[in-house]
Amino acid sequence: MLRFGVIGYGYWGPNIVRNLRSLEGCQVVGICDQSPAARKRIQSANPGIPVYSDHNELVSSPDVDAIAVITPVWTHFEVAKAALENGKHVFVEKPFTSSVAQAEELINLAEQKNLKIMVDHTFLFTGAVRKMRQLLDDGVLGKLYYYDSTRVNLGLFQHDCNVIWDLAPHDLSIMNHLLSADAEAISATGQTHLNGHEDIAFITAYFPEKMIAHINVNWLSPVKVRTTLIGGEKKMLVWNDLEADEKLKIYDKGVQMTNNAEGVYQLLVSYRSGDMWAPKIEQIEALKVEASYFADCILNDKNPFNDGYAGLRVVKVLEAANQSLEQKGKIIYL
């Protein structure tokens, strides 16, 4: 039996608890939150599970094998480090840490103690992203030209981080998972309007071989948009996560440039416009798949693909984006 402790019972914590409790061979043996109101909700929804106000009590308990850290990002390092030092595997909500240095320290500590770190990049376990990864691995889109993502809505304003640290980790983790290379440089622009943190921002990532990625995150949009476009030499893909049925659409569209035989400067442009098709996507609860995968990695000593290094790659881009923001879009080389 794999015994879990959960620290943090705000917006995401109840979902983590519910999914861990549903797994065969797993047991939630303690839940912690500093808020008295949250502790009342825990007791009401999870009768019989011990409730704690101090995370140190839970991480030091010999009855716990793994800790899920579902707290604000500025607390991740302290809580995850305490868990690792006490010999617990850790599952950490995104983003992994507040800095590259913190992420590297946690990775080193986990390796020293032979413990697993998994960063909660839930979207990687959705049917849509799994299908996208399959299509890219199979070369359906051909050589990639661009990755363009929009994640905007009205709120929820965070008080401890800007919109990049709040929303962009989703898109950055997906981008890193789908693309076969790391970004070489980052540029970011944005603006602060309401609460002292940037509430709208645009990130551009430069990749080898002329691949470029653009991410738009915004707390001030009148509508909610969750759309990603991936353009390739052979085909193009549109992922609309708000669609109920056809979330993914593959377009057989493209552009070709050829030289006219009569003159090297006479470029001929030809457009290809073929069929559109929507592949079948597995309808699953991503968080349940992710929780099950984490348990399997612990029990069978496997390294998760969304491990500390995956979390570190995202934090590197977030840190570079913040540096670029402060310098009005200056390119930061990674």
Side-chain angles (χ1 to χ4, degrees):
M1 182 65 71
L2 199 55
R3 301 162 301 177
F4 280 91
V6 178
I7 300 173
Y9 200 79
Y11 168 71
W12 197 234
N15 295 316
I16 300 291
V17 171
R18 175 174 56 81
N19 279 285
L20 288 174
R21 291 187 69 183
S22 74
L23 294 180
E24 191 176 335
C26 292
Q27 184 181 6
V28 176
V29 296
I31 306 171
C32 172
D33 200 289
Q34 290 182 342
S35 160
R39 292 199 297 275
K40 279 187 180 178
R41 292 201 309 274
I42 295 169
Q43 288 168 331
S44 173
N46 305 278
I49 296 180
V51 180
Y52 300 84
S53 59
D54 182 354
H55 72 267
N56 289 303
E57 289 183 70
L58 194 51
V59 299
S60 62
S61 169
D63 299 324
V64 176
D65 302 307
I67 293 286
V69 182
I70 318 298
T71 57
V73 62
W74 55 270
T75 67
H76 287 183
F77 174 72
E78 176 199 348
V79 178
K81 185 179 179 182
L84 291 168
E85 286 174 337
N86 280 276
K88 319 300 184 193
H89 304 282
V90 293
F91 177 92
V92 186
E93 189 182 11
K94 63 80 190 168
F96 182 23
T97 56
S98 298
S99 72
V100 167
Q102 289 179 349
E104 290 174 338
E105 185 174 337
L106 292 181
I107 290 168
N108 291 334
L109 181 57
E111 289 178 349
Q112 288 167 21
K113 292 183 168 285
N114 195 28
L115 294 166
K116 306 296 180 193
I117 293 176
M118 179 183 277
V119 182
D120 182 17
H121 294 153
T122 317
F123 275 99
L124 306 188
F125 294 85
T126 60
V129 173
R130 286 152 68 112
K131 175 59 73 173
M132 288 160 71
R133 177 66 187 258
Q134 180 193 327
L135 292 166
L136 291 174
D137 287 347
D138 292 345
V140 172
L141 273 63
K143 181 185 176 184
L144 296 185
Y145 293 151
Y146 68 86
Y147 178 102
D148 191 346
S149 184
T150 302
R151 185 174 298 272
V152 304
N153 51 262
L154 194 59
L156 298 160
F157 285 85
Q158 303 298 318
H159 301 291
D160 58 345
C161 67
N162 63 23
V163 70
I164 286 179
W165 283 79
D166 178 39
L167 296 182
H170 293 305
D171 301 288
L172 294 174
S173 64
I174 294 164
M175 181 181 81
N176 288 341
H177 183 63
L178 294 178
L179 306 181
S180 57
D182 288 340
E184 297 176 321
I186 300 294
S187 172
T189 55
Q191 197 52 267
T192 302
H193 297 96
L194 295 174
N195 72 341
H197 296 293
E198 286 84 6
D199 40 44
I200 178 169
F202 305 90
I203 304 169
T204 303
Y206 298 90
F207 287 82
E209 298 186 12
K210 298 184 180 179
M211 230 295 292
I212 192 167
H214 184 260
I215 295 171
N216 170 10
V217 286
N218 186 346
W219 284 329
L220 292 174
S221 168
V223 293
K224 184 174 183 177
V225 180
R226 298 283 185 271
T227 304
T228 298
L229 288 79
I230 304 179
E233 189 175 17
K234 294 180 184 175
K235 290 183 174 60
M236 299 181 180
L237 176 152
V238 178
W239 171 31
N240 182 352
D241 196 44
L242 301 185
E243 278 275 0
D245 298 317
E246 297 182 343
K247 287 182 181 290
L248 278 189
K249 293 179 181 177
I250 315 297
Y251 291 85
D252 184 13
K253 291 190 175 186
V255 180
Q256 276 190 315
M257 308 278 285
T258 53
N259 283 328
N260 189 328
E262 294 178 6
V264 72
Y265 299 109
Q266 295 291 317
L267 286 177
L268 293 178
V269 182
S270 61
Y271 298 92
R272 184 184 72 259
S273 186
D275 292 338
M276 182 280 291
W277 57 284
K280 183 176 171 58
I281 292 173
E282 195 180 359
Q283 296 296 324
I284 48 174
E285 184 177 1
L287 187 54
K288 184 171 186 177
V289 177
E290 184 179 28
S292 177
Y293 176 62
F294 184 44
D296 180 57
C297 286
I298 293 171
L299 293 170
N300 295 296
D301 194 23
K302 297 190 292 192
N303 288 325
F305 62 78
N306 54 327
D307 60 2
Y309 287 102
L312 171 62
R313 290 170 74 197
V314 170
V315 174
K316 276 184 178 175
V317 175
L318 294 172
E319 209 171 70
N322 259 16
Q323 290 176 32
S324 181
L325 265 181
E326 291 167 2
Q327 301 176 71
K328 301 290 186 187
K330 180 183 176 181
I331 292 180
I332 306 295
Y333 290 90
L334 298 173

